[in-house]
Amino acid sequence: MNKEKTMKALQKEVDQYISQFKEGYFSPLAMLARMTEELGELAREINHYYGEKPKKESETEKEIIEELGDLLFVLICFANSLNIDLQEAHDLVMKKFYTRDKNRWTRIDEGKGLE
């Protein structure tokens, strides 16, 4: 697998996968429910690894990377179903961090900035 995939490439790959099925993308509400479900599964794994709740012996082993991957897949499906370019969404949020939030956090080296 290509380790240098762009967001556009990820969205295209997911769209090609989903497009082969008659059902296509789920509705926005169903997609949000799926995303919530996947986020819950990620939270459960984080709690097992870093929290105070160890896994039961009967529970199957899952990795955080797998749960993040599931969440990313559903997020891409959600964006694709609404014709949202995730690169554009990312650029919008980063602009917000570079402007509105630029002085919110203490920089590691005050003399060096990302600007």
Side-chain angles (χ1 to χ4, degrees):
M1 291 216 166
N2 180 357
K3 298 282 184 182
E4 301 289 326
K5 289 181 182 177
T6 64
M7 187 57 71
K8 284 194 183 304
L10 292 174
Q11 285 192 257
K12 183 177 180 180
E13 182 178 8
V14 169
D15 190 60
Q16 288 172 341
Y17 175 78
I18 295 296
S19 294
Q20 67 182 326
F21 303 109
K22 290 179 183 179
E23 293 82 1
Y25 291 108
F26 294 153
S27 71
L29 285 175
M31 203 71 73
L32 184 59
R34 285 196 62 210
M35 192 178 312
T36 302
E37 177 186 348
E38 295 299 345
L39 183 59
E41 291 176 12
L42 174 61
R44 184 173 180 83
E45 290 306 309
I46 294 292
N47 197 23
H48 289 315
Y49 281 96
Y50 301 105
E52 290 73 37
K53 184 180 178 191
K55 278 189 186 269
K56 297 176 189 173
E57 287 185 27
S58 61
E59 289 182 290
T60 59
E61 279 296 317
K62 283 198 172 181
E63 296 290 327
I64 291 171
I65 190 172
E66 182 182 347
E67 297 302 343
L68 279 171
D70 289 346
L71 187 59
L72 179 61
F73 178 81
V74 175
L75 178 65
I76 292 171
C77 285
F78 201 0
N80 284 355
S81 73
L82 297 173
N83 295 314
I84 292 173
D85 180 332
L86 284 172
Q87 180 64 52
E88 183 181 340
H90 171 79
D91 291 345
L92 287 170
V93 77
M94 290 309 298
K95 180 179 179 184
K96 189 169 44 176
F97 280 111
Y98 286 129
T99 56
R100 183 193 73 189
D101 295 342
K102 69 180 178 179
N103 295 317
R104 180 174 284 190
W105 312 108
T106 305
R107 294 191 184 272
I108 294 170
D109 181 353
E110 288 294 332
K112 294 181 180 176
L114 295 175
E115 298 173 50

